[in-house]
């Protein structure tokens, strides 16, 4: 019998597949098309590790599955070769980025080939090929010509380590996401792409694609659309209008002060004589800080000054003091706010600091049985009843939900304080808000949220409510002015409107609509939408990127390089290290920089900034549809044929970077009539990270990287590795690498190999005669076909493998009984088992397929389909117990009813004696599994 030897099989089949062009996607083929995309890699110096191979392995499994289902599959691969990693690697290793890229691509190519992926390599390219970036530049110019690429002098995020400007998306917690260096602010003239023009489209388009909510939500939050209103307040005693942006017009009666940013132009006009000095100091202090510092400080101590001036609330007509403070930023909204301390955290802090009034205007929705975390076993139901409390529910996790009459608040608080173990407050109440639910005499309930965890606050709860004397309003007023309770109202978006004149009693959402309508009618306001999303900073001061194809002419300004002069090639240079002054290294190459203006022919200079590394990846999937075209970026007929990407697998970390950017590019192309579909990717899934075995991130510096080539060469082979990667965990789960996993999957493949060999040997000896186990064999396989097909449709790769392992175990058991006598059934079993395994383990299955004498490749065979009649087994084994003790086992028809089963059990010879003269007190029946007579 032949031995399973992946070292011999795998390279041989890889070569054969390449020679026959098995995985070539065919333009305009009659079969339905399927574009399976995985994110193309940076060819970094380190090569790929096991973690990277997950995405390609799972993508390959899906591509192979679709091919066997009869699709014309396009599964492409290329290299995203521009960008900082390569440039940094080149500088460090003193080679040119071109040479570094060549070397790195060679390493990657070797690794990807060794893993047996079914990429159509004939469509491969690098983003650094001038034949490719010619079109990246051309596409950039379409943005430029439509006013969506523009230059502006702005404060940008600057990475002092990489010496380049960054996009907002590249800054995570104040650091450059690539090198973790704290980011600085720098004023530079930059190119920007107007992604904000597509903010709504980027949100709305998500409704038409199949993205998991964790991906869609992240994009929506990043875009941060807030719908609100601009409201005009008249400065008292003047004609000046002070305009603010608010997302909460429903809180307009809660405005107790206004705040202007220190840079606000009205500030100098409205300030009173007495306040001039103070305000001047405030302005000066703000000037010495960056926006970033101010944003950070806004989280700490609030500073500010009163201007002496007042504004008139256009709805309530109250006079409101105007303050200046740097927690309001000049660059957002209108640079001024109406402050509502009862419902806004920052305003609340400011009001607390300067002792300004707090006026709650929305009461949280009542009757929400939220949790009151007690965790105290020594507070008994009697204690609670003693202060008029009522236990509403106890949740599974032991959280007690209690309601109290509001008049008993003080008694209730005392109860908690008295009964509380020392340290309870800090120990037990971690991140949760504590919520008291108080009950009014009319039965309505109200929630009070307490999330200040300091014990002393508890003792502040001395206020005695005199229910007779106090109206609801005055209670709310008191609560609003009490720092302990104010948290109740903060961030309260829904509820009943109070303290708001004729609007009282309506819902906050209705109030929002009504106030805006009233403001519009009176000419004091209008609807406004603002976004967190900022335009995409598109300039990099680096060598290794696409030159921005613009020429600056003293006469004509920024002029597009004419199409027939594209690409603007990167000059080959010796020196390409970044500079400290924010100038691109290209600016030093005078022969390249100096050129003629395309419009007037006069001396002009080339743009020396290059594009960010996100440029090439923003449209690469389209190039796969027509990779060698020299006349257009892709021929329209091919774009029409391939349409959008059907499934896109990629990293979660790209959700608000590459995924958002490329959707923006595509939507713009669609508007230009350049592509046929409004969205680039019909479905997106994000795979989880594979960590090192020690649970840390795999990284070269930690020395815990697993190179797939090492695993393959150790003798396990690519198939065992691929199956292990698919089997390791649900695909979207982060999980540590398990070295034993490959040993296990290798054993599994070996069992498949041996089973097939034994089957072939038995055929050769010609014992073909139908046996008694035919049905059992077919049942195992039909169930497996259904299971694996369903699992692949749901991307449940790991359970698909588990099912195959189980089926192989069962087949081994049957083999011992049947000795391959049921020849036909065994042939069906082996053939189908191999086909189901083929997407995961392409080499071993192809080898065995050929050995079995099949014509053609297993990878172009037809995916099996199951027959329903084999899915249910015809009999079930029912255990019969008497008083919980096992007394008998019955083989009964699978569709047996309860009464039939019980009848059959009662007359069973082993049971009869127990039941002799007694009637069972109770009979427990678990369908198809168990009967228990309790006597
Ligand atoms: C009154 C109000 C009441 C507000 C309330 C919020 C809550 P987003 O959602 O991020 O867009 N704001 C407006 N312009 C500002 C500026 N230049 N600097 C600092 N804060 C500013 O935030 C919009 C809200 O942030 C606005 O709505 C405004 O405060 C504040 F219960 O107005 B709001």
């Amino acid at each position: 019998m032949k031995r399973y030897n992946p070292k011999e099989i795998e390279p041989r089949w890889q070569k054969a597949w390449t020679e026959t062009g098995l995985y070539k996607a065919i333009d305009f083929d009659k079969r339905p098309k399927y574009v399976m995309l995985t994110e193309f890699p940076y060819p970094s110096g380190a090569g790929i590790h096991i973690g990277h191979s997950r995405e390609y392995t799972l993508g390959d499994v899906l591509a192979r599955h679709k091919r066997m289902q009869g699709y014309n599959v396009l599964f492409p691969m290329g290299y995203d070769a521009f960008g900082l990693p390569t440039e940094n690697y080149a500088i460090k290793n003193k080679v040119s980025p071109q040479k570094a890229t060549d070397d790195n691509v060679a390493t990657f190519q070797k690794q990807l080939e060794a893993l047996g992926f079914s990429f159509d390599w004939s469509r491969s390219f690098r983003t650094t090929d001038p034949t490719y970036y010619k079109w990246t530049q051309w596409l950039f110019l379409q943005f430029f010509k439509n006013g969506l690429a523009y230059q502006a002098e702005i404060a940008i995020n600057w990475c002092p380590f990489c010496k380049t400007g960054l996009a907002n998306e590249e800054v995570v917690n104040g650091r450059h996401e690539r090198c973790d260096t704290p980011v600085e602010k720098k004023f530079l003239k930059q190119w920007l792409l107007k992604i904000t023009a597509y903010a709504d489209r980027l949100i709305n388009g998500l409704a038409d694609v199949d993205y998991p909510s964790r991906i869609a939500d992240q994009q929506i939050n990043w875009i941060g659309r807030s719908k609100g209103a601009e409201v005009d307040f008249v400065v008292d005693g003047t004609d000046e209008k002070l305009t603010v942006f608010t997302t909460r017009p429903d809180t307009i009666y809660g405005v107790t002060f206004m705040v202007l940013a220190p840079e606000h132009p009205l500030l100098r006009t409205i300030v009173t004589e007495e306040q001039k000095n103070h305000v001047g100091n405030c302005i000066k202090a703000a000037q010495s800080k960056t926006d970033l510092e101010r944003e950070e400080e806004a989280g700490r101590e609030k500073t500010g000054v009163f201007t002496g001036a007042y504004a008139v609330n256009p709805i309530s007509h109250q006079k409101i003091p105007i303050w200046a403070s740097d927690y309001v930023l000049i660059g957002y909204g209108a640079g001024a706010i109406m402050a509502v301390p009862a419902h806004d955290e920052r305003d609340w802090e400011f009001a607390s600091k300067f002792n300004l009034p707090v006026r709650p205007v929305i009461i949280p929705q009542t009757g929400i049985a939220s949790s009151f975390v007690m965790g105290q076993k020594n507070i008994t139901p009697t204690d609670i009843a003693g202060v008029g409390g009522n236990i509403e529910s106890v949740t599974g996790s032991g959280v007690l939900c209690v309601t109290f009459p509001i008049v008993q608040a003080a008694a209730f608080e005392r109860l908690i304080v008295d009964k509380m173990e020392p340290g309870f407050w800090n120990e037990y109440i971690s991140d949760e808000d504590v919520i008291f639910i108080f009950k009014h005499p009319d039965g309505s309930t109200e929630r009070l949220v307490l999330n200040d965890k300091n014990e002393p606050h508890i003792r502040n709860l001395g206020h005695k409510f005199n229910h007779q004397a106090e109206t609801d309003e005055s209670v709310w007023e008191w609560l609003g002015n009490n720092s302990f309770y104010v948290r109740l109202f903060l961030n309260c978006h829904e509820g009943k409107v109070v303290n708001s004149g004729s609007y009282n009693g309506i819902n906050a959402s209705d109030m929002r609509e009504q106030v805006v309508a009233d403001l519009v009618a009176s000419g004091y306001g209008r609807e406004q939408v603002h976004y967190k999303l900022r335009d995409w900073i598109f300039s990099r001061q680096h060598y290794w990127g696409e030159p921005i194809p613009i020429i600056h002419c003293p006469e004509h300004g920024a002029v597009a390089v004419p199409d027939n002069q594209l690409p603007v090639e990167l000059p080959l240079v010796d020196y390409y290290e970044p500079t400290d002054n924010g100038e691109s290294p290209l600016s030093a190459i005078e022969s390249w920089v100096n050129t003629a203006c395309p419009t007037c022919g006069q001396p002009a200079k080339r743009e020396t900034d290059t594009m960010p590394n996100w440029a090439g990846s923003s449209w690469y999937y389209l190039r796969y549809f027509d990779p060698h075209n020299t006349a257009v970026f892709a021929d329209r007929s091919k774009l029409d044929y391939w349409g959008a990407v059907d499934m896109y697998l990629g990293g979660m970390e790209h959700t608000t970077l590459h995924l958002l950017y490329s959707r923006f590019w595509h939507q713009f192309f669609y508007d230009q009539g350049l592509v046929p579909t409004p969205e680039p990717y019909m479905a997106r899934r994000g795979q989880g990270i594979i960590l090192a075995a020690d649970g840390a991130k795999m990284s070269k510096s930690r020395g815990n990287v697993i190179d797939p080539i090492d695993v393959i060469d150790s003798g396990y082979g690519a198939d065992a590795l691929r199956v292990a990667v698919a089997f390791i965990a649900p695909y979207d789960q982060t999980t540590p690498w398990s070295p034993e996993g490959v040993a296990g999957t290798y054993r599994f493949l070996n069992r498949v190999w041996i089973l097939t060999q034994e089957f072939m040997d038995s055929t050769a000896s010609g014992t073909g005669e139908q046996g008694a186990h035919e049905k059992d064999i077919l049942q195992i396989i039909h169930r497996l076909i259904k299971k694996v097909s369903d699992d692949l449709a749901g991307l449940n790769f790991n359970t698909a493998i588990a099912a195959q392992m189980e089926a192989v175990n069962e087949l081994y058991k049957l083999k011992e009984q049947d000795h391959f006598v049921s020849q036909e059934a065994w042939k069906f079993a082996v053939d189908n088992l191999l086909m189901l395994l083929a997407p995961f383990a392409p080499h071993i299955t192809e080898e065995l397929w050929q050995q079995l004498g099949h014509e053609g490749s297993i990878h172009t065979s037809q995916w099996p389909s199951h027959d329903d009649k084999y899915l249910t087994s015809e009999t079930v084994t029912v255990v019969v117990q008497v008083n919980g003790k096992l007394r008998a086992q019955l083989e009964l028809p699978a569709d047996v009813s309860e009464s039939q089963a019980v009848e059959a059990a009662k007359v069973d010879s082993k049971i009869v004696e127990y039941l002799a003269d007694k009637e069972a007190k109770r009979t427990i029946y678990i369908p198809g599994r168990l009967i228990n007579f309790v006597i």
Side-chain angles (χ1 to χ4, degrees):
M1 187 165 65
K2 278 197 195 129
R3 202 172 57 83
Y4 173 41
N5 180 8
K7 262 197 177 140
E8 188 274 321
I9 295 171
E10 292 181 351
R12 177 156 52 75
W13 279 113
Q14 285 161 14
K15 194 157 160 270
W17 293 330
T18 308
E19 279 166 12
T20 55
L22 189 64
Y23 306 123
K24 276 216 169 98
I26 301 164
D27 296 327
F28 311 119
D29 192 88
K30 287 214 174 49
R31 288 170 296 167
K33 67 92 192 182
Y34 193 88
V35 182
M36 175 67 229
L37 189 67
T38 49
E39 289 175 341
F40 64 164
Y42 278 124
S44 71
I48 64 169
H49 60 60
I50 292 280
H52 306 121
S53 75
R54 190 182 207 180
E55 178 177 338
Y56 309 129
T57 301
L58 303 181
D60 190 48
V61 170
L62 294 176
R64 288 175 181 280
H65 177 226
K66 285 286 169 198
R67 235 178 251 122
M68 290 174 76
Q69 286 184 316
Y71 288 88
N72 178 26
V73 172
L74 170 53
F75 184 43
M77 183 42 89
Y79 295 101
D80 191 13
F82 270 135
L84 292 181
T86 309
E87 181 166 316
N88 292 341
Y89 173 87
I91 291 172
K92 202 167 136 216
N93 294 287
K94 301 225 173 340
V95 293
S96 72
Q98 285 85 350
K99 167 89 171 62
T101 302
D102 285 345
D103 295 351
N104 295 346
V105 164
T107 311
F108 270 64
Q109 191 86 17
K110 202 174 131 237
Q111 289 177 307
L112 294 174
E113 280 168 10
L115 279 153
F117 297 134
S118 63
F119 295 125
D120 177 353
W121 284 111
S122 72
R123 293 174 187 256
S124 187
F125 57 83
R126 304 176 195 175
T127 53
T128 50
D129 295 338
T131 52
Y132 177 79
Y133 72 68
K134 167 179 178 171
W135 298 110
T136 309
Q137 291 176 334
W138 185 84
L139 291 165
F140 170 85
L141 288 177
Q142 306 315 302
F143 286 102
F144 178 66
K145 289 171 184 171
N146 285 281
L148 293 175
Y150 65 97
Q151 266 189 304
E153 176 113 26
I154 50 162
I156 59 153
N157 299 303
W158 173 264
C159 174
F161 177 75
C162 298
K163 299 182 181 169
T164 187
L166 303 171
N168 291 340
E169 288 78 8
E170 291 169 306
V171 181
V172 177
N173 299 328
R175 289 164 186 273
H176 184 194
E177 53 111 24
R178 288 222 164 273
C179 64
D180 215 31
T181 309
V183 164
E184 296 170 358
K185 282 263 163 184
K186 206 171 185 130
F187 266 93
L188 282 177
K189 198 163 186 193
Q190 298 286 305
W191 282 96
L192 291 104
L193 290 192
K194 215 179 177 85
I195 190 171
T196 52
Y198 279 75
D200 280 336
R201 286 273 293 281
L202 288 166
I203 293 176
N204 299 340
L206 290 169
D208 303 324
V209 291
D210 168 19
Y211 290 12
S213 56
R214 63 177 182 153
I215 294 178
D217 288 351
Q218 217 177 309
Q219 292 205 336
I220 291 169
N221 292 339
W222 181 259
I223 295 165
R225 181 176 201 270
S226 34
K227 197 169 152 239
E230 271 185 359
V231 185
D232 302 327
F233 289 65
V234 173
V235 179
D236 195 33
T238 75
D239 294 335
E240 297 283 0
K241 263 196 206 163
L242 173 52
T243 301
V244 302
F245 170 67
T246 177
T247 45
R248 300 290 305 277
D250 51 318
T251 63
I252 195 150
Y253 275 85
V255 180
T256 53
F257 57 100
M258 317 279 294
V259 187
L260 301 188
E263 300 90 341
H264 199 286
L266 261 189
L267 199 50
R268 288 172 204 279
T269 328
I270 62 169
V271 64
T272 57
E273 211 40 59
E274 307 88 80
Q275 294 300 101
K276 249 198 179 113
N277 275 344
H278 297 294
V279 170
N281 290 341
C282 166
I283 296 174
K284 262 190 237 130
Q287 274 166 349
S288 65
K289 295 181 208 160
T290 65
D291 264 14
L292 217 61
E293 283 169 335
R294 280 172 56 179
E295 264 172 59
E296 273 176 10
E297 281 178 16
R300 295 183 228 129
E301 184 88 342
K302 293 273 180 305
T303 56
V305 286
F306 178 45
T307 63
Y310 291 82
V312 180
N313 186 322
I315 296 283
S316 74
H317 308 295
Q318 280 167 327
K319 254 172 73 174
I320 301 163
I322 305 175
W323 287 64
S325 168
D326 66 0
Y327 82 94
V328 174
L329 302 173
I330 190 68
Y332 187 70
I337 63 160
M338 54 179 233
V340 184
H343 300 287
D344 181 273
E345 189 104 31
R346 293 157 303 177
D347 298 344
W348 159 248
E349 284 164 17
F350 194 81
S352 310
K353 168 102 191 258
F354 295 103
N355 231 339
L356 295 162
V358 179
R359 184 180 162 94
V361 289
I362 314 279
I363 299 176
Q365 271 168 322
T366 58
I368 303 167
S370 212
S371 50
F372 166 50
V373 184
M374 184 84 87
Q376 282 306 86
K377 288 177 198 70
N378 55 353
I379 295 184
T380 64
T382 322
D383 291 333
I384 290 167
V387 290
N390 187 33
I391 299 175
E392 304 280 293
S393 66
V394 182
T395 68
S397 54
V399 171
L400 205 53
C401 300
V402 197
T403 52
F404 284 86
I406 198 159
V407 285
Q408 285 287 49
F412 171 58
E413 292 145 11
R414 224 171 298 119
L415 170 70
I416 303 174
V417 176
D418 290 349
K419 293 282 187 172
M420 204 159 44
E421 286 163 8
F424 166 76
W425 205 242
N426 295 323
E427 240 176 81
Y428 292 88
I429 300 172
S430 51
D431 294 314
E432 273 318 331
D433 288 345
V434 179
I435 298 173
F436 302 161
I437 302 167
F438 289 105
K439 203 171 232 168
H440 282 290
D442 67 1
S444 65
T445 52
E446 255 128 33
R447 306 194 305 150
L448 298 185
V449 180
L450 170 76
N451 77 356
D452 204 317
K453 286 142 203 157
N454 297 324
E455 192 173 336
H457 282 275
I458 297 247
R459 305 202 192 281
N460 290 341
L461 296 175
H463 182 84
K464 300 272 193 313
F465 292 100
N466 175 352
H467 194 77
Q468 257 50 7
E470 283 177 282
T471 61
D472 270 7
E473 269 216 2
S474 66
V475 172
W476 290 114
E477 189 97 6
W478 176 84
L479 291 173
N481 282 309
N482 196 299
S483 70
F484 176 70
Y485 282 113
V486 85
R487 302 263 165 183
L488 163 66
F489 311 108
L490 285 176
N491 303 319
C492 170
H493 288 264
E494 276 317 326
K496 210 173 62 177
V497 171
V498 295
N499 285 338
S500 298
S502 61
Y503 297 92
N504 279 352
I506 63 173
N507 289 330
S509 48
D510 296 333
M511 172 90 176
R512 228 163 281 169
E513 301 293 321
Q514 266 195 36
V515 167
V516 174
D518 292 347
L519 285 167
V520 170
S522 62
Y524 282 99
R526 60 234 136 243
E527 284 218 46
Q528 268 290 334
V529 177
H530 281 276
Y531 302 90
K532 290 216 186 76
L533 185 72
R534 291 282 165 267
D535 279 342
W536 174 9
I537 295 164
F538 204 68
S539 289
R540 296 295 178 276
Q541 294 70 41
H542 269 262
Y543 172 72
W544 195 229
E546 302 86 345
I548 292 177
I550 293 286
I551 292 167
H552 297 281
C553 169
E555 172 85 27
H556 296 101
V559 181
V561 171
D563 286 0
N564 62 9
Q565 289 173 30
L566 297 178
V568 177
E569 282 202 46
L570 262 184
L572 283 173
V573 291
D574 295 330
Y575 188 80
Y576 49 83
E577 304 231 347
T579 64
D580 287 313
N581 59 7
E583 289 231 19
S584 161
L586 288 176
S587 60
I589 309 164
E590 286 190 8
S591 59
W592 184 82
V593 170
N594 291 322
T595 182
C597 169
T599 308
C600 63
Q602 292 303 304
K605 285 187 190 306
R606 283 190 193 283
E607 171 62 55
T608 56
D609 281 355
T610 53
M611 298 189 197
N613 54 319
W614 309 104
S617 59
S618 286
W619 71 282
Y620 75 115
Y621 53 95
L622 296 171
R623 187 66 176 172
Y624 289 136
F625 300 165
D626 193 9
H628 310 297
N629 202 322
T630 53
V632 282
F633 71 93
D635 190 82
R636 182 57 196 243
S637 62
K638 293 183 185 173
L639 291 165
D640 284 342
Y641 176 77
W642 290 108
V645 170
D646 293 281
M647 172 57 79
Y648 193 13
L649 268 191
M652 280 304 289
E653 70 278 18
H654 294 145
T655 303
T656 55
L657 288 158
H658 158 66
L659 195 65
L660 195 66
Y661 293 152
S662 58
R663 288 185 60 225
F664 159 50
W665 277 46
H666 192 97
Q667 292 183 343
F668 167 68
F669 300 162
Y670 180 68
D671 290 350
Q672 295 300 306
L674 296 173
V675 293
T677 65
E679 284 282 335
Y681 317 117
M682 294 322 293
R684 166 83 177 187
R685 296 290 182 275
Q687 77 277 349
I689 297 167
I690 295 187
L691 303 167
D694 59 4
K697 238 185 132 149
M698 277 194 200
S699 78
K700 224 177 159 186
S701 58
R702 286 178 202 264
N704 59 5
V705 170
I706 309 253
D707 183 341
I709 296 281
D710 292 342
V711 181
I712 294 171
D713 287 350
S714 69
Y716 289 130
D719 282 342
L721 176 58
R722 295 169 52 115
V723 176
V725 166
F727 186 51
I728 193 165
Y731 81 97
D732 55 356
Q733 206 170 295
T734 293
T735 184
W737 175 244
S738 142
E740 304 81 45
V742 200
T745 54
Y746 176 80
R747 272 197 306 278
F748 161 61
L749 293 180
N750 210 21
R751 275 162 78 77
V752 173
W753 176 273
I754 290 168
L755 186 71
T756 312
Q757 299 301 328
E758 288 181 350
F759 164 69
M760 285 189 289
D761 291 349
S762 74
T763 325
S765 61
T767 49
E769 192 191 311
Q770 184 148 322
H773 299 96
E774 185 181 35
K775 239 197 191 112
D776 299 334
I777 299 165
L778 292 179
Q779 233 165 34
I780 292 170
I781 291 298
H782 280 283
R783 279 186 203 155
L784 186 65
I785 294 171
K786 172 147 178 33
K787 171 81 177 142
V788 174
S789 303
D790 289 352
D791 278 353
L792 282 179
L795 274 67
N796 297 313
F797 305 96
N798 61 324
T799 51
I801 293 295
Q804 295 185 48
M805 291 175 165
E806 213 176 290
V808 168
N809 288 344
E810 288 178 44
L811 289 174
Y812 262 76
K813 276 186 214 144
L814 276 175
K815 179 190 80 171
E816 295 307 317
Q817 298 162 24
D818 189 81
H819 304 289
F820 298 112
V821 173
S822 310
Q823 274 287 319
E824 278 301 304
W826 280 106
K827 174 156 176 44
F828 183 81
V830 171
D831 281 353
N832 281 280
L833 182 64
L834 292 178
M835 286 192 278
L836 296 177
L837 184 57
F840 299 91
H843 310 88
I844 183 176
T845 50
E846 183 79 311
E847 174 67 18
L848 293 172
W849 190 252
Q850 303 300 317
Q851 288 185 18
L852 284 163
H854 289 286
E855 295 274 319
S857 167
I858 191 169
H859 302 300
T860 48
S861 68
Q862 201 189 333
W863 186 255
S865 52
H866 72 271
D867 185 337
D868 273 336
K869 82 172 182 219
Y870 292 104
L871 295 189
T872 48
S873 63
E874 281 154 12
T875 61
V876 286
T877 308
V878 177
V879 166
V880 186
Q881 300 178 330
V882 178
N883 286 344
K885 284 214 177 69
L886 175 68
R887 297 297 178 198
Q889 283 192 27
L890 302 177
E891 280 295 306
L892 297 171
D895 57 357
V896 69
S897 71
E898 173 166 358
S899 58
Q900 287 168 336
V902 171
E903 250 348 277
K906 277 184 179 162
V907 299
D908 185 85
S909 59
K910 295 196 197 92
I911 300 299
V912 173
E913 51 179 303
Y914 293 101
L915 295 180
D917 44 319
K918 298 166 211 110
E919 193 50 39
K921 266 192 274 176
R922 228 152 33 96
T923 306
I924 297 159
Y925 179 66
I926 301 174
R929 292 180 46 200
L930 178 139
I931 299 169
N932 183 13
F933 293 110
V934 182
I935 54 173

